[in-house]
C-alpha cells in the first residue's frame, strides 16, 4: 500500500528543507516572548503536557483517503484557548514530533506536517478568537459557543482545504484527482472537532476556569486565573 500524508509522502529535498526552515522560523517566533511564563505553576504545566500527550494519541486515530491526505482530530483550538497561540504552536510541534516517532515516519515530511496540521489551525483559531473578542458580546455562553464550537470547526475546515491544496501540488495532479468523499469527510471531521473541543471547553470553564490562561478568558470574565 502506498503511504501518503505529509509524514509519509516522498518529498524533494528542497521542499523538505524548506518545510523545516519555515517550521523553525515559526517556532522561533512562538518562543520569542517566553510564553512558558504562562506555565509558572505545576498544575498548568501538567495540563499543557496532558493535552499534548492526549492529542498525540488522538492523532494516531487517523483516516487515509484513497492515496490522499490524512485526516484526524487536531486539538489546536483547545490549546489556543487554554494557553494562547505561542504555547499552542509549541505544543503542536511536540504533537507532530510524537506522531512522527509513533508512525516511524521519515524526517522529510515532519516540518511540512507541522505547518499544515499545526500552524494553520493555530493561526486560524487565533484569528477567529481575536475577531470574536473584538466584535461579539463578552459572556461565558458566547465564549463557549465561539471558542468551543465555531472556532475549532472553522479551523478544521481551513486545515483540510490547505492540506488538500498542498497535497494536490505535491503529487502534481489537478483538483479533480482529490480523494472521493473528501468534502464529506472534512465536514464530519469538523463536526467531531467542534464537539470534542466544545465539550472540553465547557467542562473546563465550569470546573477549572483558572486553566484558561489567555487574555481572552479574562475579557470574557470567566474567572481570573491566579498570577
Amino acid at each position: 500500500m502506498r503511504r501518503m500524508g505529509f509524514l509519509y509522502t516522498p518529498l524533494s529535498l528542497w521542499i523538505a528543507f524548506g518545510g523545516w526552515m519555515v517550521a523553525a522560523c515559526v517556532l522561533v517566533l512562538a518562543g520569542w516572548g517566553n510564553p512558558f511564563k504562562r506555565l509558572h505553576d505545576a498544575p498548568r504545566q501538567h495540563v499543557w503536557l496532558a493535552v499534548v500527550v492526549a492529542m498525540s494519541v488522538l492523532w494516531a486515530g487517523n483516516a487515509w483517503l484513497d492515496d490522499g491526505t490524512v485526516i484526524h482530530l487536531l486539538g489546536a483550538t483547545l490549546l489556543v484557548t487554554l494557553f494562547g497561540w505561542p504555547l499552542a504552536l509549541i505544543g503542536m510541534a511536540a504533537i507532530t514530533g510524537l506522531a512522527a516517532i509513533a508512525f516511524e515516519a521519515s524526517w522529510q515530511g515532519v516540518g511540512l506536517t507541522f505547518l499544515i496540521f499545526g500552524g494553520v489551525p493555530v493561526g486560524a483559531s487565533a484569528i477567529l478568537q481575536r475577531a470574536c473578542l473584538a466584535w461579539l458580546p463578552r459572556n461565558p455562553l458566547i465564549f463557549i459557543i465561539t471558542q468551543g464550537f465555531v472556532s475549532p470547526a472553522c479551523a478544521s475546515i481551513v486545515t483540510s482545504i490547505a492540506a488538500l491544496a498542498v497535497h494536490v501540488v505535491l503529487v502534481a495532479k489537478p483538483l479533480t484527482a482529490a480523494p472521493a468523499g473528501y468534502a464529506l469527510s472534512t465536514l464530519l471531521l469538523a463536526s467531531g472537532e467542534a464537539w470534542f473541543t466544545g465539550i472540553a471547553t465547557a467542562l473546563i470553564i465550569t470546573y477549572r476556569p483558572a486553566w484558561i490562561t489567555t487574555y481572552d478568558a479574562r475579557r470574557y470574565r470567566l474567572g481570573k486565573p491566579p498570577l
Side-chain angles (χ1 to χ4, degrees), residues 157-184:
I157 292 173
V158 171
T159 302
S160 296
I161 294 173
L164 178 61
V166 174
H167 173 73
V168 169
V169 171
L170 289 178
V171 299
K173 292 182 180 179
L175 283 175
T176 54
Y182 190 79
L184 176 60

Side-chain angles (χ1 to χ4, degrees), residues 42 47 51 85 113 121 129-130 149 178 219:
V47 172
V51 173
W85 68 265
T113 299
Q129 290 185 3
R130 288 289 183 90
F149 291 92
R219 295 292 293 273

Side-chain angles (χ1 to χ4, degrees), residues 35-41 44 83-84 87 213-215 218:
F36 288 101
K37 62 187 177 183
R38 291 184 182 270
L39 306 179
H40 65 276
D41 56 7
R44 290 178 181 172
F83 305 105
L87 280 177
T213 66
T214 58
Y215 178 72
R218 295 187 177 94

Side-chain angles (χ1 to χ4, degrees), residues 19 28 32 39 47 78 98 106 114 133 140 185 193 200:
V28 169
W32 190 260
L39 306 179
V47 172
L78 183 60
L98 290 173
S106 61
F114 162 67
L133 176 65
S185 299
E193 189 82 28

Side-chain angles (χ1 to χ4, degrees), residues 211-227:
W211 287 358
I212 303 177
T213 66
T214 58
Y215 178 72
D216 290 3
R218 295 187 177 94
R219 295 292 293 273
Y220 276 91
R221 299 176 183 176
L222 301 176
K224 183 176 180 181
L227 297 178

